[in-house]
Amino acid sequence: MTEALRRDAVTCALAGIAAVDPADLVSAALADCHIANDVTLLAVGKAAVPMANAAVAALAGTIRRGVLIAPDDTRPPSPRIECFTGGHPVPNDRGAAGAREIERMLNDMRAGETLLCLISGGASSLMTLPVDGLTIEDVALTATLLMRAGATIEELNCVRKHIDMLKGGRLAARAFPSAVTALVLSDVVGDSLATIASGPTVADPTTISDAIAVLRDRNVWDRIPEPVRKHLSGGNDESPKPGDARLARTNTRLIGSNVTAAAAACAQARSMGYTARIVTTSLTGEACVMGGEIAAAARSESARAGTRVALIYAGETTVTVRGSGSGGRNQELALGAAIALEGIDGVAVASLGTDGVDGPTDAAGAVADGESVVRARRMRLDPRTSLAANDSHSFWKALGGLVRTGPTGTNVMDIIVALAVPPKA
């Protein structure tokens, strides 16, 4: 029974991922945009390649030039588009080179030309252009310290927006007076356009003071590079705020999010005979804690309803790094679920990153059930030791619970499927 539940949970999660195909979303959006003039194309993020391919197919010869920044090496979708391989989750020199090329492109835009921005998850790191006086290493270390301190994506991107020359509305402001159309695939809880990719084409509601507060609250202010502290403390120019005239010709549109993925996973579960519902598309919290709570919720609901149930969650949890192990939030969530389910039959939890990459590993996530920890102990693996070391990847790799999809070309955060059958009388 548990093996069947594990397979079903993964099947439902994969159905959710398949529903957010970036090329289909861009094609549908461009059919409504009616872009007729010359186009400068910018595609940045984990879904940059399929989004750019769709745009090239739809706009044919109107694309005059472009830049694509993705996390992996890729072939240009057009001879007019230059490709760069950026770093994620930590920025690198190639991503910075791509950002500099974007800056040059913006400065060279002609009157009447349209800037088409295709933005997806990971763009904050991939497209990094530090403000004057900062290096890519300064920005990378600041971001790393915040991530290791458990900063939320809102907190992390608040800081990024105030140490970068393209984030927080600055990209669109630089393109003014040219028209800007931005099509955005959300990878943040709540789908805030000001947070996704650090909001390069929308007004920034956060301030430099907010960024300093985040760094202090996360106890990293004294550890970030001195040039970053100096820049923020100097009260340098703020990012564009609501009402800024330079954003008047910018139209930013959300074309896809985890709501679509969750709905597809839910529909798949129902087609397989489960009583299914979406619990939330705004899941946050510590990954391992959420894993335990999700497992308990599925077990409780199945027992109460007396039927096979599927609970669908979507969002993005966080991991507070205290150890030196390897893993990602999905593998850690699954480990938390496994610990809560030890020895319990009839429950399975699959947690996958929709981009197919969970942390710095080759897995999308993992799937847990009541036998996971039982089998681990037979192999002399201690799940709590693995959890304390943030070494969920080694745990699941040894146990055989990893789910590998390879990079999916999309990114709408994570999809978690918890399946349960009523306990035997």
Side-chain angles (χ1 to χ4, degrees), residues 277 279 283 287-305 307 309-311 313 333-342 344-350 368-370 416-423:
R277 68 183 180 92
V279 179
L283 182 69
C288 61
V289 176
M290 292 300 104
E293 291 184 1
I294 288 169
R299 185 185 183 210
S300 175
E301 183 152 331
S302 178
R304 183 173 62 254
T307 187
V309 303
L311 301 184
Y313 300 76
L333 187 149
L335 183 51
I339 291 171
L341 290 172
E342 182 176 2
I344 296 172
D345 192 26
V347 184
V349 177
D369 62 23
I416 300 98
V417 177
L419 304 181
V421 300

Side-chain angles (χ1 to χ4, degrees), residues 222-402:
D222 293 331
R223 291 188 285 150
I224 63 174
E226 175 61 27
V228 176
R229 285 199 302 272
K230 183 177 179 181
H231 170 77
L232 294 173
S233 299
N236 294 280
D237 289 341
E238 272 288 3
S239 49
K241 297 294 179 273
D244 193 304
R246 295 171 296 173
L247 305 181
R249 302 198 65 206
T250 297
N251 177 28
T252 301
R253 176 179 171 187
L254 181 69
I255 63 169
S257 71
N258 65 5
V259 174
T260 305
C266 192
Q268 178 66 37
R270 287 171 180 159
S271 74
M272 299 168 75
Y274 293 89
T275 300
R277 68 183 180 92
I278 299 171
V279 179
T280 182
T281 56
S282 301
L283 182 69
T284 58
E286 191 71 21
C288 61
V289 176
M290 292 300 104
E293 291 184 1
I294 288 169
R299 185 185 183 210
S300 175
E301 183 152 331
S302 178
R304 183 173 62 254
T307 187
R308 292 154 50 96
V309 303
L311 301 184
I312 313 299
Y313 300 76
E316 185 170 282
T317 58
T318 54
V319 173
T320 302
V321 179
R322 299 183 176 88
S324 57
S326 176
R329 58 181 180 264
N330 289 282
Q331 293 164 71
E332 189 146 319
L333 187 149
L335 183 51
I339 291 171
L341 290 172
E342 182 176 2
I344 296 172
D345 192 26
V347 184
V349 177
S351 184
L352 304 185
T354 56
D355 61 355
V357 181
D358 188 36
T361 75
D362 62 351
V367 57
D369 62 23
E371 287 293 311
S372 298
V373 171
V374 174
R375 290 188 293 115
R377 295 197 189 282
R378 292 181 190 141
M379 299 169 64
R380 296 185 179 180
L381 293 173
D382 185 345
R384 295 190 183 278
T385 298
S386 297
L387 190 60
N390 298 114
D391 199 22
S392 56
H393 184 70
S394 297
F395 178 90
W396 289 116
K397 184 176 182 180
L399 199 63
L402 293 172

